[in-house]
Every structure is written in structure tokens, then in C-alpha cells.
Amino acid sequence: MSVIHLEELEKSYGDVKALSGLTLDVPSGSLFGLLGPNGAGKTTALRILCTLLEPDSGNVTVLGLDALKDPCEVRKKLGYVAQEVALDKILSGRELLQLQGDLYHLRSIERNARIAELIERLEMGSWIDRRCGTYSGGMRRRLDLAAGLLHQPQLLVLDEPTVGLDIESRGKIWQILRELRSQGTTVLLSSHYLEEVEALADRMAIIDDGRVIAQGTPGQLKQNLGGDRVTIRVREFSDEIESEQVRRVLESIEGVSQVVVNRSQGFSLNLVVEGEKVLPKLREELQKAQFELFALTQSRPSLDDVYLQVTGKTLMDAELETAGQRDTKLERKKTMR
Amino acid sequence: MISPDNAKLPETDFQSPMAELIQETLALTRRLFIQLIRRPSTLIAGILQPLIWLVLFGALFSNAPQGLLPGGVTYGKFLGAGVIVFTAFSGALNAGLPVMFDREFGFLNRLLVAPLQSRSSIVLSSVVYITSLSLLQSLAIIWTAALLGYGWPGVSGILLVAITLLLLIFAVTALSLALAFALPGHIELIAVIFVANLPLLFASTALAPLSFMPSWLGWLAALNPLTFAIEPIRAAYRGPVDLSTILFHAPYGDVNGYGCLTVLMVLTIGLFFLIRPILNRKLA
């Protein structure tokens, strides 16, 4: 049974299309990773699902409820940890949690018991009574996670929960998310960190240009790729022209597929090799074409390969591409109500 | 077979919607007061500014010829009512600022993602907070004015002062909250507050009676809501309250105490209806 069902979501901000036909199913009890570069539409999708934003068109079903018709019921059952943590600098962490508890209408005894429990669980005891303005990124994020968990939601949604965090806080948050899953809470998190999705998620979707382009378990997605991943360099630092020449050579070999020039890695070449005799053949052909083989690595497919396969670029390249074009001012505006 | 777990009532409480509304409104109001207590500069400035007005401006005309002002009062006494109203007015005009900062810093999203019984609690908490704050500041001014020898309105007078101020505060708070949701950022909101503040003071009867003004300014002052709040309070300071006495001679006719309060009431209700679409759009 799916806890979240997003169907054909469309959303534009002015001329900028954030979602174009996004469809997603999150099964109950899963720890679901939504992987994609910045600007792919992850945050917009999560904001729609958390009833903060209305799509231009499409259906949103959360926990069996129509989130567009019955947003208030959805809010009661859902915890949301936003990307930009908005804390009140003047309040202490404990006061913020008390406020949050009152907004979710917890009885004060229950509220205080929950707060005490979460302070211990997230190891916030030594600083929870200090003002939020003094907190580090990791503290802020832990506090925000506690706020999202206060009312014991059946579904927890986190937008990039560990961006820019110290190792310790990240580990703590990962641990809590795993515990939640084992207790039966469905967790949906977005991330542009492959390692995070790899380490945590039992199901995942890759999102690009406002659409889901692949979903399944990480294992399935990797298996679907088939073949081994091979990275080749003909020289320590090649240029694009040379790499393109090598690409043409490689593409002519039987058993080699998906040859991609990887710009972010000094124009090395990524390819997929199927069959045992392909590699010797490859060495031979390169020699014939008068290319040296400076380096060759071979590995089983990783999530990065999955990403490369479905989008035609590496996640890092996608990040670099969007980094220059992001209009942070506009993004801030569009999240303002 | 029924397991004991299923037999238990669900853990979620069944509070009445009213209890939930009160709980969330109190929690939000509490937050605003914690902010005020830990960052009291707003409160201090809000009291200090009108005090300076009262002391310096009151002294400015202290040697003016006797009998110049209607009723033969001293300028300090005349000014008191104006400064009280101005205090409440500028306090209420700032009501939108915390809301605007919550919008800008994303704190509002935290409120919007919560299952609030009604999002009016966001507006309601601001109204409760600003009303108590403005009343507190006005009270400080009333008390200081009494110490300076500018008079004391008496018990029934205080009641009239409170009612008048409440109406004005509600109206201005509504306006400010609407601006906080309609304007793009705090810079714009502060600009509007800045531009609205002093001209509204000057184009009212706070600093001088209508009879001193050229007719164009007299028209403006006689249409200015501040005038309708100042005159009843000034009357309360003059002596026993009688709302049927004429309080000022506007170019369009005489206005008595009932007239002033009615105008303020209509303004308040009208503004709340006017801002509803804005709030509904932003908080829907």
C-alpha cells in the first residue's frame, strides 16, 4: 500500500517550470530517498505533499487522504523537516518544542514527556535551554527533526536533512531515521548526496527536470543496468577533443555501451562493459588507434552509474550546471507566503 | 478476538475546536511576549519616544499666551491626549513587523504546516500581543502625563480612553497585518510605516486644534481617524464624560462623542472586512 501517491504534478513559478508531470509512489513503512540535483524539483514536490503549496494540476494522496481537499487532516499525521531550518533565534530549543507541541494540540503532560524523550534521544540535553540563535547547523537540524517528530507522525518528510552537517550530527540523524523505519514510520527524504540515499534508503526515485525518471530499490536500479562500470583515461589530463576521439573508438567495440565523457573528472570516459572478452579487445583497439591506456578501473554499478544512465550526466555535472543558474532571490520569494 | 491494544481509545485527544484554538493562540502569543521580554528595546523605545514628545513638545509652547487654546487649557494638557493616541497608533502600526519577519525567515511555514484549528490564530495572537503592548505603553504615558501635572481623566474617563484606544488599535493593527501579508518584504513595510506615521500625526488635532489650521489641512484633520480618537480622550481629560457634547467643529459639521466612537467602530469593522480577502489568500 502506498502512503504517498503523487500523480502527474505540474507546477510553474512564472516562466520556470518546477514540476512537469511528476508521478511518485511511496510504499508504507519504507525509507524512501528522492535523489536529484539542486533545482530538479525535489523541494517543490515535498512542499506540495506537505500542503504548503498547491500544484497547478495533478493529484496528491497522502495517507489515504486527498491532500488538496483535506489538507488539515494530512497535516495532523505528517511531520515535515524543511530544508532551510526556520527557528526563532530568541526562543530556546525547549520553548520552540513547546510551541510546536501546542500547535499540534498535545496535552501539556504528554507534550513535556515527548519533549524530554526527544531531548534524550537526539542528545540535545546540554544545549536545549540555550537560545536557538547560538546553535550550530547540526544542532539546528537536530532540533528541527525533534520538532517534526513531536506529534509522532505516521509519515516523516525531510528536505535535504544533512546538507552541510558535521559527521556526528549526520550520523545521529541517520540513526534516528533508521530507528523510525524499524518502528514502522514511513520516511521520505530528498537528497542530492548519493551516499546518503545509498546508506539509508530501501526504495528510491531519481528526479530530474521535474519528473521521476527511475524508481525502485537501489539494488533493482543497479541490477537493471547490467554489466560492469569501467572508467578509462588515456592520459592523466585529456582534453575534450581527445576524449571524443577515444569515445568513437570505444563505441565501435562490441559489448561496450553507454560511453560518456565525464567532464567533471578531467574528461575521463565512463562506459559499460558486458562479457568477459570485451576488456582485452578494448585494450587492443585502443592500441591500434594509438591511444595509451593511462588508467582503467572496473566496478559493479553504483547509484552514480544509475544516475548517469537515466539522465545522461553525472550527478556532480548536474549540480555544477544548476549552480550557476540558480536565482536564490527568486527561490526565496517563491517560498514566501 | 479483540486485543487489548485495539480496545484502548486512540491516543489522540479529543479537545474541542475552541480549546484547540485557544491553545494555539496562547502559544503564539506567548512566543511574541518572550521575544519582547528578551529584546525589550521595542518596548523601551515605544515608551521613550512619546515621553520625549510630551516633555519637549509640551515645553515648546508653555509660554504661549493664556487662553489661546479652546477651553483655556495649557499646551501640555492639550498635547497629552494627542501623545497618548500617537503612542497607541505607532505601536499598532508596527503590528505587522513580526509577521513580516516570520514570512521572510520561513517561520510562517512552520505554522502553516501545523494542523492549526484555524489560521486566524496567527492573526489573533498578533492582535492580542499588540493590543496589550500598545495599551501598556499608553498607560505609561497617561501616568507620566499625570506626574507632569497634565491632568488625570478619572475612572470613567479612563474607561473612555481605553475603549477609544482599543478601537483605534484594532483598526490600525488590521491595516498593518494586511500590509505585512501584501507587501514583498520588511523594507517596504518599514517604509510605509515611516511615511504614514508623522504626516498622520501632523494632519490631526494632536498638536494643534482645528481652528489653528488652514482650511485644507482642517479638512484633512477632520477626516483623519486619529482626530476621532484624540478628541474623546481630550474630552475625558477636560471633565466628566458626556458623549453627546460636541467635540470638534469639522468643516462638514459638528461631531460629538458618539460620532467619534461610531466612526472608529465602523473603521475597525470595515478594515477587518477589507483585509479578510488578503489574509484568506495568504493563509488559505
Side-chain angles (χ1 to χ4, degrees):
Chain A
M1 199 203 93
S2 59
V3 165
I4 300 170
H5 176 65
L6 305 178
E7 196 180 309
E8 291 293 321
L9 290 188
E10 303 270 343
K11 179 75 191 176
S12 301
Y13 303 104
D15 300 339
V16 186
K17 202 150 179 105
L19 298 181
S20 39
L22 182 128
T23 298
L24 181 73
D25 275 286
V26 175
S28 173
S30 60
L31 207 171
F32 197 102
L34 200 56
L35 178 70
N38 283 323
K42 300 189 298 290
T43 300
T44 303
L46 296 190
R47 288 173 64 84
I48 287 175
L49 140 75
C50 294
T51 74
L52 275 173
L53 201 64
E54 277 196 19
D56 298 338
S57 68
N59 292 319
V60 185
T61 314
V62 180
L63 296 156
L65 298 160
D66 185 335
L68 302 176
K69 287 201 186 106
D70 204 357
C72 203
E73 283 305 309
V74 172
R75 286 180 203 130
K76 282 182 193 166
K77 297 177 177 176
L78 170 148
Y80 175 53
V81 180
Q83 185 173 9
E84 271 183 47
V85 190
L87 302 175
D88 189 324
K89 300 195 284 192
I90 305 294
L91 297 186
S92 73
R94 191 187 300 275
E95 285 162 343
L96 183 94
L97 292 177
Q98 287 167 345
L99 170 67
Q100 184 95 6
D102 283 333
L103 297 181
Y104 283 83
H105 310 118
L106 304 182
R107 294 258 160 90
S108 67
I109 299 171
E110 187 196 347
R111 180 193 75 182
N112 294 342
R114 271 301 280 169
I115 291 175
E117 184 192 328
L118 285 165
I119 287 173
E120 193 175 335
R121 201 163 153 198
L122 282 154
E123 293 165 25
M124 306 188 291
S126 57
W127 45 266
I128 195 71
D129 289 308
R130 277 168 32 199
R131 292 189 192 179
C132 294
T134 65
Y135 291 175
S136 71
M139 291 166 162
R140 294 161 63 87
R141 198 59 66 124
R142 276 197 242 180
L143 176 62
D144 211 30
L145 179 59
L149 288 174
L150 202 58
H151 61 293
Q152 296 180 289
Q154 297 171 31
L155 167 66
L156 183 68
V157 178
L158 306 102
D159 197 359
E160 308 260 5
T162 63
V163 165
L165 286 198
D166 56 287
I167 306 270
E168 193 202 333
S169 294
R170 189 173 78 164
K172 193 77 221 165
I173 288 173
W174 282 12
Q175 181 200 330
I176 299 283
L177 297 184
R178 289 195 181 106
E179 283 170 19
L180 284 170
R181 188 224 348 233
S182 65
Q183 290 158 6
T185 307
T186 308
V187 179
L188 169 64
L189 70 101
S190 76
S191 183
H192 63 277
Y193 292 147
L194 287 164
E195 317 86 76
E196 183 158 71
V197 175
E198 183 104 63
L200 283 178
D202 46 29
R203 292 189 73 83
M204 62 175 292
I206 293 176
I207 174 168
D208 192 45
D209 279 334
R211 275 171 304 126
V212 169
I213 48 178
Q215 58 179 318
T217 68
Q220 272 170 0
L221 290 175
K222 284 189 253 180
Q223 216 170 19
N224 288 349
L225 289 183
D228 277 5
R229 308 288 114 175
V230 170
T231 307
I232 284 178
R233 287 171 189 272
V234 291
R235 189 193 297 276
E236 187 163 12
F237 298 106
S238 304
D239 55 25
E240 188 164 8
I241 301 161
E242 188 178 40
S243 291
E244 288 296 332
Q245 287 166 351
V246 178
R247 187 168 68 89
R248 280 192 286 279
V249 175
L250 293 172
E251 276 175 341
S252 67
I253 305 168
E254 202 181 324
V256 168
S257 57
Q258 300 164 34
V259 185
V260 178
V261 175
N262 190 344
R263 278 160 228 275
S264 63
Q265 299 289 328
F267 298 104
S268 61
L269 291 122
N270 297 346
L271 49 143
V272 176
V273 175
E274 227 154 344
E276 294 195 352
K277 291 188 182 129
V278 181
L279 274 185
K281 172 85 175 153
L282 184 148
R283 288 175 199 273
E284 199 180 299
E285 288 294 324
L286 280 180
Q287 209 162 23
K288 251 195 250 168
Q290 314 245 305
F291 287 114
E292 274 187 52
L293 199 52
F294 177 78
L296 184 151
T297 55
Q298 186 180 4
S299 62
R300 300 293 307 152
S302 69
L303 274 189
D304 210 357
D305 301 317
V306 175
Y307 189 85
L308 184 65
Q309 157 74 16
V310 290
T311 63
K313 58 195 172 205
T314 65
L315 186 57
M316 192 181 274
D317 274 344
E319 289 277 290
L320 289 176
E321 243 173 59
T322 53
Q325 323 166 338
R326 292 202 100 183
D327 186 346
T328 44
K329 213 172 156 189
L330 184 88
E331 275 169 31
R332 211 180 166 84
K333 271 245 164 71
K334 80 190 180 194
T335 60
M336 225 174 108
R337 285 279 286 235
Chain B
M1 202 181 87
I2 299 169
S3 72
D5 268 358
N6 287 344
K8 259 194 269 171
L9 277 171
E11 271 187 41
T12 42
D13 319 49
F14 292 103
Q15 289 193 63
S16 73
M18 199 46 165
E20 291 192 347
L21 182 69
I22 291 172
Q23 185 182 16
E24 64 202 31
T25 307
L26 282 183
L28 291 170
T29 312
R30 179 165 171 266
R31 167 178 173 238
L32 293 170
F33 274 105
I34 292 177
Q35 286 180 339
L36 178 73
I37 290 162
R38 298 205 181 140
R39 234 177 356 192
S41 47
T42 335
L43 178 67
I44 295 170
I47 292 179
L48 223 53
Q49 191 202 18
L51 276 188
I52 295 169
W53 277 94
L54 201 61
V55 172
L56 292 184
F57 224 91
L60 195 60
F61 296 106
S62 60
N63 289 338
Q66 289 282 315
L68 198 64
L69 289 160
V73 292
T74 65
Y75 189 69
K77 271 194 176 157
F78 179 85
L79 187 65
V83 172
I84 291 166
V85 168
F86 181 58
T87 309
F89 170 71
S90 41
L93 205 52
N94 286 320
L97 269 178
V99 173
M100 178 58 96
F101 284 124
D102 278 355
R103 279 181 68 205
E104 286 184 317
F105 290 120
F107 200 87
L108 187 66
N109 283 333
R110 182 183 291 283
L111 311 183
L112 294 182
V113 89
L116 298 180
Q117 177 58 41
S118 162
R119 285 176 173 180
S120 337
S121 54
I122 298 170
V123 175
L124 214 57
S125 61
S126 288
V127 173
V128 172
Y129 166 74
I130 279 297
T131 306
S132 6
L133 183 61
S134 300
L135 279 183
L136 203 74
Q137 288 173 342
S138 307
L139 217 65
I141 302 304
I142 291 173
W143 187 68
T144 319
L147 281 187
L148 288 170
Y150 294 163
W152 174 257
V155 177
S156 63
I158 279 282
L159 200 69
L160 177 63
V161 173
I163 291 171
T164 313
L165 288 182
L166 271 180
L167 287 173
L168 182 74
I169 290 168
F170 283 156
V172 179
T173 302
L175 191 69
S176 181
L177 286 173
L179 287 173
F181 280 107
L183 294 176
H186 73 272
I187 305 276
E188 290 81 0
L189 182 61
I190 290 174
V192 170
I193 292 174
F194 196 72
V195 165
N197 221 342
L198 285 185
L200 271 165
L201 177 73
F202 292 137
S204 77
T205 58
L207 306 178
L210 278 180
S211 55
F212 285 20
M213 300 177 191
S215 73
W216 63 269
L217 188 60
W219 266 101
L220 283 182
L223 295 172
N224 184 345
L226 290 190
T227 300
F228 292 87
I230 292 164
E231 290 306 326
I233 292 176
R234 194 164 278 153
Y237 267 88
R238 272 200 299 267
V241 178
D242 179 5
L243 287 177
S244 56
T245 41
I246 304 296
L247 295 184
F248 65 97
H249 306 284
Y252 48 77
D254 292 345
V255 180
N256 65 15
Y258 290 116
C260 284
L261 292 186
T262 310
V263 166
L264 288 178
M265 183 94 78
V266 169
L267 182 75
T268 305
I269 295 169
L271 274 172
F272 267 96
F273 273 103
L274 254 172
I275 70 164
R276 266 181 61 144
I278 298 176
L279 296 183
N280 281 343
R281 185 152 44 85
K282 292 288 183 166
L283 292 177

